[in-house]
Amino acid sequence: LLPISPSSFLFACGASLLVVSKSSIHTLCKSSSIMPPKADPSQVVEVCLRCIGGEVGNSSALAPKLGPLGLNPRKVGDDIAKVTGDWKGLKITVKLVIQNRQAAIEVVPTAAAMVIRALKEPSRDRKKEKHRKHNGNVTFAEIYDIAKVLRKRSLAREMTGTVKEVVGTCVSVGCTIDGQSPAEIIRQIDAGERDVAPYDV
């Protein structure tokens, strides 16, 4: 930055030379020192996180989302571990409703997490056992109960569509339903061989 006149400077930027006025430099410095407005603590903010049930998450991963809202990431991580104790070892989604620097924690389970939970598999050490095959069996009644939980979030027009969404999740999980493949269950629903009771939220 070299002065070339009382009102302007010569600014070297790589291989280019720019002539910058004093007023623009003053404006640039003034604007860079302005801090963004602070968040209103009374405002309700919702934050969704993916975590492992029953385990304390890494506070460094929570800090960028919770720090600006005035929350202690370590304390929130401990609270999440307590709330998600019933989902130990499963990847689930957690919704934080934050107001006045207080976080209300709500578990938003996915279809896959509920199907794996319905298999009632023994707990595993995630560090020693990396990839477990979920090749167990669930009943159609359990599938229907899962569909009732997901009905509010489902985009299907009728309960039959929501049940078929959960059955499709069983394909990716790798389990069977009443000892039959999920594809066979969907065929039975489409053919009217298996009744699905209507359910509205």
Side-chain angles (χ1 to χ4, degrees):
L1 193 66
L2 302 173
I4 57 175
S5 72
S7 61
S8 60
F9 293 85
L10 189 64
F11 179 70
C13 179
S16 305
L17 294 176
L18 304 174
V19 177
V20 185
S21 65
K22 262 185 178 180
S23 60
S24 62
I25 292 177
H26 178 70
T27 304
L28 181 64
C29 294
K30 188 176 180 182
S31 62
S32 62
S33 63
I34 297 175
M35 295 292 291
K38 290 187 177 180
D40 183 11
S42 62
Q43 182 182 2
V44 178
V45 180
E46 293 186 357
V47 179
C48 289
L49 305 168
R50 289 283 287 173
C51 65
I52 305 297
E55 296 184 10
V56 178
N58 190 357
S59 58
S60 61
L62 298 174
K65 293 185 177 182
L66 303 181
L69 301 174
L71 294 174
N72 185 350
R74 181 172 295 179
K75 181 180 180 301
V76 173
D78 293 338
D79 293 341
I80 290 174
K82 292 177 184 176
V83 173
T84 59
D86 294 338
W87 302 87
K88 188 173 179 63
L90 298 176
K91 284 186 180 180
I92 55 171
T93 303
V94 174
K95 183 170 75 172
L96 306 179
V97 182
I98 302 166
Q99 187 177 20
N100 294 326
R101 296 183 180 177
Q102 297 294 323
I105 303 171
E106 178 185 348
V107 178
V108 187
T110 59
M114 287 191 283
V115 168
I116 294 173
R117 186 187 186 188
L119 291 172
K120 299 178 178 63
E121 295 175 338
S123 60
R124 67 183 175 105
D125 188 347
R126 293 177 57 249
K127 293 181 180 178
K128 295 180 181 178
E129 189 179 354
K130 292 292 183 182
H131 303 289
R132 171 182 283 182
K133 290 186 177 181
H134 308 289
N135 52 4
N137 182 69
V138 295
T139 63
F140 188 76
E142 289 173 324
I143 295 295
Y144 187 80
D145 291 338
I146 293 171
K148 287 199 292 187
V149 176
L150 297 174
R151 183 69 186 122
K152 189 175 181 180
R153 290 183 277 150
S154 174
L155 298 178
R157 186 174 297 175
E158 298 176 353
M159 185 61 175
T160 302
T162 307
V163 170
K164 287 164 71 174
E165 288 175 359
V166 180
V167 174
T169 303
C170 294
V171 176
S172 60
V173 170
C175 65
T176 57
I177 303 168
D178 288 340
Q180 298 175 318
S181 68
E184 176 60 22
I185 299 296
I186 291 178
R187 187 199 66 77
Q188 292 174 6
I189 294 173
D190 291 338
E193 298 174 10
R194 192 178 285 264
D195 293 331
V196 177
Y199 178 82
D200 293 323
V201 180

